[in-house]
Amino acid sequence: MSSVLKGNFKAKKDVEIKKKQDESSDEKFEREIMKHVGGSIAFVKKKKVDWGTKK
Amino acid sequence: MTAKDNPDHIQSGKWAEEIIAGMDQITWDRIGQMSLDNARRNLNVQDRGQSLAKLRNQTLGDGGSCIVVASGPSIKIKDPVKEIKSSGYGGAIICAESAIRYLLTNGIVPDLVVTVDPHPSRVVRWLGDPELTEEKLAKDDYFRRQDMDDAFASELATNEEILNLLDKHGKNIKIAMSTSSGEAVVQRVLDTGMEVYWWNPMLDDPDEENSATRELQEMNGLPSVNAGGNVGAAAFMMADAVLGIEHVGLVGMDLSYYDGTPYRNTQYYEALLRLADEEQLESFFIRIFNKHIGEWFFTDPAYMWYREVFLQLAADADCKIYNCTEGGILFGDDIEFIALSQFLGNHT
């Protein structure tokens, strides 16, 4: 996907992702706010249904 | 994006690509632990339903075909139910929980409803939240803002309406309910008397060592379904991989917004505002030209990821897929993009 989505749409203003100053907390902070743009549930490549055996 | 798509027909914001590339991990961070916690709690009520295995290869509707109804913005523009009803279509109607009000208010009782998102408070709104108050509404404008079912903007009245509709029809509706579902959703479903079919969402590859999916399956003995990122894809998987339906039509599966929709009315608006300021939001969106109908649509990273995922599901599908949304961005090699009237003409 990254080879096709090249960011070819120019924003009117440069974007600076909001970050905290402390480098050690940066990743944690970013990960925490990024959670809010995540999908509803996971996707697993090349799998459909695993029927299991118990029930 | 498939290799055959013309890059000139895609305008990607600067940050969109970065977020999409990390969406597997971002999604896991959002739903992983919540799904496992919900599944453990739902063990207590598992006996109030059956395993999804009982639905396997059952015939819903008159067999052969079905229509999967999602709740994208085309629903209010195209109003596909009118055409479905007037055609006398007899195939199965399978819907995302977010589309259940649209169907019931238009006189269609779906053959199967699907729910999967583990969010603790929002999902229950689609089914009617018995605990909804003005105070709760003041804290969360998610439904008021969105360009989906307009009725959810007048929230208390609509909530009352869907509460009544499901109290009336619930006992005649089957629901494929993921064990990841939140407590409020599960309680509401049980209260309405819906016929529950439990399943686990695949959280990771069940064949890998230390797989969370495998752990779930060993805990509750239920089948695991690849839910494809969102409830619309999960509904499609029920049609293709569980019911084995040969011809699957899709409506309301936009995975995007009509050009000109204010960013404020998009699903992830508030989440994106945590990443950047209002005037910078266009950097997070992607515009795509739908060559089948000659119109531009725009989408956000999550919906773009849903599109990519659905195209992979479509490539592995046993059924034939017809996107009859008549809008949006879901098209590709393994999906026929056709008018709903054409699908109904061939399958009624």
Side-chain angles (χ1 to χ4, degrees):
Chain A
M1 181 183 322
S2 57
S3 63
V4 177
L5 288 179
K6 294 180 188 305
N8 57 353
F9 179 50
K10 287 237 181 232
K12 287 175 191 153
K13 294 186 179 182
D14 280 344
V15 177
E16 196 173 323
I17 297 274
K18 291 173 185 171
K19 286 182 179 176
K20 286 183 176 174
Q21 294 303 309
D22 177 27
E23 184 60 34
S24 63
S25 64
D26 251 14
E27 279 184 23
K28 194 177 169 190
F29 175 71
E30 239 181 79
R31 200 162 165 156
E32 195 51 42
I33 55 177
M34 288 291 251
K35 272 165 69 168
H36 298 276
V37 297
S40 293
I41 202 68
F43 164 64
V44 183
K45 280 181 184 162
K46 296 287 170 197
K47 296 284 175 187
K48 295 177 98 172
V49 182
D50 183 338
W51 290 103
T53 52
K54 283 188 184 173
K55 292 185 182 177
Chain B
M1 200 59 32
T2 62
K4 286 182 180 175
D5 281 331
N6 181 347
D8 292 340
H9 289 177
I10 303 164
Q11 297 174 345
S12 171
K14 187 175 172 182
W15 289 103
E17 181 186 4
E18 189 175 317
I19 294 175
I20 295 164
M23 196 57 88
D24 286 333
Q25 182 62 51
I26 293 168
T27 299
W28 171 261
D29 288 344
R30 175 180 175 256
I31 59 90
Q33 193 56 51
M34 203 173 4
S35 298
L36 290 167
D37 292 345
N38 286 347
R40 286 191 191 99
R41 190 180 50 248
N42 287 331
L43 269 178
N44 297 321
V45 288
Q46 195 172 313
D47 62 355
R48 304 277 301 274
Q50 312 174 64
S51 165
L52 185 74
K54 296 275 171 58
L55 259 193
R56 191 177 187 182
N57 296 326
Q58 265 194 35
T59 301
L60 299 184
D62 61 12
S65 77
C66 74
I67 296 175
V68 173
V69 184
S71 56
S74 63
I75 287 293
K76 67 183 178 196
I77 307 278
K78 305 289 179 185
D79 198 9
V81 152
K82 270 188 193 158
E83 215 170 334
I84 293 169
K85 281 175 77 176
S86 64
S87 73
Y89 179 69
I93 301 291
I94 300 172
C95 75
E97 85 284 79
S98 51
I100 197 168
R101 180 197 163 276
Y102 171 66
L103 291 172
L104 290 177
T105 53
N106 284 288
I108 289 185
V109 178
D111 296 282
L112 182 66
V113 179
V114 181
T115 189
V116 65
D117 191 319
H119 194 282
S121 60
R122 284 179 174 166
V123 185
V124 70
R125 291 285 304 285
W126 302 119
L127 306 172
D129 180 359
E131 310 293 328
L132 189 65
T133 60
E134 291 280 10
E135 194 182 9
K136 275 172 89 173
L137 287 174
K139 288 181 187 164
D140 189 355
D141 70 350
Y142 178 83
F143 288 89
R144 273 195 302 283
R145 283 188 296 102
Q146 285 194 58
D147 189 31
M148 295 169 82
D149 188 337
D150 275 345
F152 280 89
S154 54
E155 297 179 89
L156 281 177
T158 299
N159 189 58
E160 197 59 33
E161 181 188 35
I162 188 68
L163 280 169
N164 291 333
L165 281 168
L166 273 184
D167 286 346
K168 182 179 174 190
H169 295 288
K171 56 186 178 301
N172 300 317
I173 297 175
K174 294 179 171 64
I175 184 165
M177 184 154 66
S178 165
T179 56
S180 60
S181 298
E183 191 170 15
V185 167
V186 172
Q187 194 54 55
R188 176 68 184 136
V189 165
L190 296 177
D191 287 348
T192 62
M194 292 167 100
E195 194 177 321
V196 175
Y197 292 86
W198 289 107
W199 55 284
N200 294 316
M202 279 190 193
L203 298 173
D204 52 16
D205 187 339
D207 296 326
E208 294 290 322
E209 203 177 338
N210 299 321
S211 158
T213 307
R214 178 63 52 203
E215 184 190 324
L216 270 184
Q217 207 159 355
E218 285 172 359
M219 177 180 77
N220 59 28
L222 297 167
S224 302
V225 180
N226 189 359
N230 71 341
V231 67
F236 164 75
M237 289 302 284
M238 295 299 156
D240 177 52
V242 175
L243 295 165
I245 296 173
E246 212 174 326
H247 299 277
V248 179
L250 312 171
V251 296
M253 199 80 82
D254 302 67
L255 304 184
S256 61
Y257 310 96
Y258 286 89
D259 232 8
T261 304
Y263 290 148
R264 193 175 186 287
N265 297 134
T266 64
Q267 187 171 357
Y268 291 88
Y269 170 77
E270 282 195 342
L272 293 173
L273 277 185
R274 293 169 192 243
L275 295 169
D277 296 326
E278 176 93 38
E279 65 270 23
Q280 300 168 327
L281 286 186
E282 64 194 75
S283 291
F284 293 88
F285 287 93
I286 302 147
R287 295 181 78 236
I288 295 186
F289 184 72
N290 183 328
K291 60 194 174 191
H292 299 279
I293 55 172
E295 280 183 54
W296 284 93
F297 294 84
F298 73 97
T299 194
D300 49 38
Y303 278 129
M304 188 65 182
W305 180 67
Y306 295 158
R307 178 196 197 244
E308 299 302 322
V309 164
F310 200 101
L311 291 176
Q312 291 185 48
L313 294 177
D316 293 336
D318 294 317
C319 67
K320 202 153 169 38
I321 307 167
Y322 310 85
N323 188 356
C324 311
T325 298
E326 300 180 7
I329 61 168
L330 184 58
F331 48 85
D333 289 347
D334 300 291
I335 299 174
E336 260 193 61
F337 197 92
I338 62 171
L340 178 58
S341 58
Q342 191 182 336
F343 178 82
L344 292 169
N346 292 337
H347 299 284
T348 298

